[in-house]
Every structure is written in structure tokens, then in C-alpha cells.
Amino acid sequence: GDQSGTHDFFAEVVLDKSMFKDGLEDFRHCNSDDIRTLEHADAHTTHELVTRNRSANCYMPSEDDEHILEWVLADRGGIAYFGYAYYAANSASLTTVRIASDRVNGVQATSDALINPSPYSIVDGSYSVFRRMLFLNVNNEAWPLVKPFLDYGFSSAGQALVSSVGYVRPNAALHAKMLQRIAEGGNELADLVPVQPEKCAMGLRLATTPYLDQWGRQKIRYECLPCHPGTFKDDDLPRECRPCQAGKFAEAAGMTECGLCAKGHFSPKNSVTCQACAENTAAADTGTAICVTCDLGHFTEGEGAAACEYCPRGKFRDVLGPGPCLICPTGMTTDFRAATESMDCRCAEGSYHMEGGRESGPCLECPAGMRCAFGSEADGIARWEAAGQPDANQAKHPFPMAIRGFMTLAENPMRVYKCKVEQH
């Protein structure tokens, strides 16, 4: 399959460059559905698909050498390329192709020797075209963990195990070189090149950490780590996590999405938690970025309010910010809710202010024989008279008025006299 180094090696050695387009294979592949079926088929089904149903001269890729072996055994004209160990275990059913190392002339024209693969031709190097070294790339930092494995692998017992599965032991010179390399503790000239991962799962970010290796060379370590609280990632791209938008939050690490702040709460960008709206501010909706300040005459009962409330009758609020609605002075009230200033506080019905208005003192009880409407002020009488005595009930500034059967005099309008004869 095209995910393996074996595939790339074969393409570089055998195939003509014209068979590639933009670095990709440009020759016919077999039907992908048939290949998927073959990967789970029994021997009979494999034979039917390979010999009768597949397109002629098409390429059947697989990352599993066992599948390739089954397919080439089912097709008498099939050609496959895999490790010598698979041939050695099935040599009675497979035929090898002799090759030469001539890069110009074909098999019919070359004067070079045509070589069959065998343990001897591989070890002595005569089967050179397809001989491929197996490299062990070890992270130098992990050398203490890897060395026992290498010691066993190149011991007599380890080499016997290599031969038992069909692989070819290194020749004496190469074996001695490997033992020397192990004894030296690896290759300090080998340069590990960290590779950025192709994906980081949802909720994981790509983290880069500069470090110095054991020889003092600057390196970068790539890791997929959980998103920090206050951030999220909803895809598998290798990148940083994104901050939660204002009005949202992510209180734990590794979040794939941000939650919405509840009503009465808010959050700025990149928040771990939501905060309750301060006193006299409110958030009516979920996912709010900032709380709204209550207008004058409005308030909230503490923090975390979803809406502002009216100051009740008898109270007012004349400044923005924290603080309760203020109570009107003793004896005073308002005749509406949401009062915004102290001037909205007036004497309650049944009481009045003397001349000088509210600054003259407390509200006084309405004299017997008079009716004092809400907000009555004694100096309202003079204002009413100055206005030409319109309908007293329509006066802009209410004032105490005598009720039926009682009267007052202009020189002392707050002194009440009972009429001897009631007049209409």
C-alpha cells in the first residue's frame, strides 16, 4: 500500500517517472469496493474476485502483506512485491523473478548476471537491486530503554529468531558494526527531526516546547495537549484552541465547545466561568457579554438579576450604580413607582407642607374641615390665586382646601371656620 516505505522503495527502483503525475501514481487502480471485499473474503471468494471479476492489469494496494500473498497466490499471472520472509514461507507456490542491476538495458539485453533472491545473495550483496536495509531509528533520550532490546536482537538467540521467521541475518561485518554501535551508546551525530502531528483530536491543541537534546542542540517537541480552560477546539486540526467568545465559558480543560452563560450572568472573552451581574445591573438573555445598568428609579435584589425592578411607591433612586432605592422622608411618599429623584417625594394624602414647600419642615396633619390631596403645599394657595383662580381641582400645585360646611379667610388660609349655614 502507498502508506508504507516498501511501496515507495519499489516505486523509486522499478517504475518509470512517467508513471507518476504531480508526485502521485498515474496508473490504473482496481475497484476500491472489490479490494475492501477481498480484505475480508475467504479463499473461494478471493479466487473468484481476483481471477474473474477484477479489471485486467490493475493495481491492488494493501498495507497487509498477508492479503497481498493471498491475492498473488490466487492469480497465476499476478506480480507482487513483499518481504523475502513471505516468499520463503510459500516458496513451493511462488516463483521469483531473476533480476540484474543494469539501469539501462532490460533483462534480455543486459550482460549483468541475473540473480535470484536467497539468503546467500542477500547477505553477500549480489541481490542488490531489491536488497533493502532495515533501520532502527532510536530517540537518543530513550536509549536506556531501547538498549536491552537491541542487545537481545543481536545476540545469538535474537539472530536465531530472525532466521526462524524468514528474515536474513546481517553478515559478519555488518553484525560486528552493529554490536560496536550499540556499545558506543547510539550515534551522537544522528539528528532527530521532530515532526508535527497531522491531527490533534477535538479538544486537544498542538503544543510546541523548545528544548535542548543531550548534545545541546535546539529542538522542538510537538504534543497534542488538552485545550486550556476558557478555550475550545471542535475539529482535529493540529492547531491552537480558540478562546470562548464573550458570553460563553469553558471551565474544564479539553473542551470541544463553550457553554452559554445563564440569565443574570456574563463573561468576557476567554472566560473559565461566568460572573453574576453586579447589584443594579441585569442580563435578560443567556450568553450575555455584559450586563446592562439599571436606569434611575430601578434596582435589583442583589447580584445575578435577569431584570431590573421598579423602585416601589415611597422610594426613589437618583444615582446609577450600587445601592438600594432610598425611602422618602417621614410622612412623604410617591404616587408612582420608579421615582428618579427626591422631588418626586411629596406629602401623603391627608397631610401638607407649610409655606416654603418641602424645605420648610415635615408634613403636617391636614386641619379638620380641610381636604389635603397628595402633595398638598400651603403656598400652593398663593400660586393658585396668582393664576387667576382657575378650577382648584386643576391646580398645578395641589393645596389644602376647605370641605363643604367649612371656610377659610384669605389672610390666613390654613385657619378653618365652620359655616353656620352650609352653602353649596
Side-chain angles (χ1 to χ4, degrees):
D2 58 10
Q3 301 301 308
S4 71
T6 302
H7 170 277
D8 295 343
F9 175 78
F10 181 83
E12 293 171 3
V13 171
V14 175
L15 300 181
D16 189 270
K17 291 183 179 180
S18 64
M19 302 185 73
F20 292 84
K21 184 176 182 180
D22 297 329
L24 302 174
E25 297 164 346
D26 192 28
F27 48 90
R28 184 169 56 175
H29 284 57
C30 296
N31 184 280
S32 58
D33 291 334
D34 289 345
I35 294 174
R36 282 192 289 270
T37 300
L38 280 169
E39 289 177 338
H40 303 284
D42 56 25
H44 175 74
T45 304
T46 297
H47 185 271
E48 288 293 313
L49 285 173
V50 170
T51 59
R52 298 184 183 182
N53 296 338
R54 77 178 179 94
S55 303
N57 300 325
C58 63
Y59 168 49
M60 299 170 61
S62 177
E63 303 302 325
D64 191 331
D65 287 342
E66 292 289 350
H67 289 151
I68 297 175
L69 176 63
E70 292 173 3
W71 300 343
V72 75
L73 287 173
D75 187 351
R76 296 185 60 186
I79 299 174
Y81 177 67
F82 44 56
Y84 179 77
Y86 289 93
Y87 164 72
N90 298 272
S91 58
S93 303
L94 296 173
T95 301
T96 59
V97 177
R98 295 190 303 157
I99 60 172
S101 58
D102 193 329
R103 291 182 175 273
V104 177
N105 298 310
V107 172
Q108 300 295 331
T110 184
S111 59
D112 290 353
L114 302 179
I115 307 298
N116 265 319
S118 71
Y120 304 104
S121 61
I122 294 172
V123 170
D124 67 18
S126 58
Y127 188 75
S128 60
V129 175
F130 285 150
R131 190 179 70 161
R132 179 171 170 233
M133 295 290 187
L134 294 179
F135 293 95
L136 297 174
N137 298 311
V138 179
N139 186 340
N140 285 313
E141 292 182 350
W143 182 255
L145 300 175
V146 178
K147 185 177 183 298
F149 170 78
L150 296 178
D151 286 337
Y152 175 78
F154 287 95
S155 68
S156 298
Q159 289 297 289
L161 187 60
V162 169
S163 298
S164 70
V165 296
Y167 280 84
V168 178
R169 299 187 187 195
N171 58 37
L174 183 57
H175 185 260
K177 184 177 180 180
M178 292 305 302
L179 292 177
Q180 179 183 358
R181 180 55 54 80
I182 294 171
E184 292 172 350
N187 179 11
E188 69 177 54
L189 299 179
D191 192 16
L192 173 67
V193 179
V195 178
Q196 176 178 309
E198 294 183 359
K199 294 181 179 180
C200 283
M202 295 171 61
L204 299 181
R205 61 187 171 86
L206 176 63
T208 58
T209 307
Y211 72 97
L212 296 177
D213 65 16
Q214 64 191 88
W215 290 287
R217 289 178 294 213
Q218 185 73 43
K219 299 292 181 182
I220 296 178
R221 181 178 291 109
Y222 295 98
E223 298 176 280
C224 291
L225 299 177
C227 294
H228 293 299
T231 67
F232 76 103
K233 192 162 78 68
D234 56 2
D235 57 42
D236 61 0
L237 297 177
R239 60 177 179 80
E240 271 291 345
C241 301
R242 290 180 288 173
C244 293
Q245 297 177 348
K248 296 184 177 183
F249 71 102
E251 60 184 352
M255 299 297 290
T256 60
E257 62 180 354
C258 300
L260 289 174
C261 292
K263 294 179 179 180
H265 294 73
F266 76 102
S267 69
K269 184 178 180 181
N270 203 27
S271 289
V272 176
T273 59
C274 298
Q275 303 174 47
C277 293
E279 181 185 8
N280 294 336
T281 66
D285 299 314
T286 59
T288 298
I290 188 171
C291 300
V292 177
T293 301
C294 295
D295 292 332
L296 297 178
H298 296 72
F299 76 106
T300 64
E301 291 285 358
E303 300 179 343
C308 297
E309 302 178 47
Y310 298 124
C311 288
R313 285 184 172 89
K315 294 184 178 183
F316 67 96
R317 200 166 76 88
D318 57 357
V319 293
L320 299 177
C325 297
L326 302 177
I327 301 174
C328 290
T330 302
M332 292 187 175
T333 187
T334 62
D335 65 345
F336 58 88
R337 296 181 300 166
T340 61
E341 57 182 351
S342 61
M343 296 294 289
D344 294 326
C345 295
R346 298 175 180 271
C347 290
E349 185 176 358
S351 62
Y352 73 100
H353 259 131
M354 284 297 296
E355 288 83 0
R358 281 161 287 181
E359 302 301 325
S360 64
C363 296
L364 303 175
E365 184 179 356
C366 194
M370 299 190 81
R371 179 176 63 84
C372 296
F374 168 81
S376 292
E377 297 177 359
D379 60 358
I381 298 174
R383 300 178 190 178
W384 171 65
E385 291 176 342
Q389 296 185 343
D391 184 351
N393 293 315
Q394 302 296 322
K396 183 176 181 181
H397 301 281
F399 55 86
M401 292 187 295
I403 61 176
R404 177 181 289 183
F406 294 85
M407 61 173 286
T408 62
L409 300 176
E411 56 270 20
N412 189 357
M414 295 305 297
R415 185 170 183 177
V416 184
Y417 299 91
K418 183 175 178 61
C419 299
K420 290 183 178 181
V421 179
E422 186 174 305
Q423 295 180 346
H424 295 285

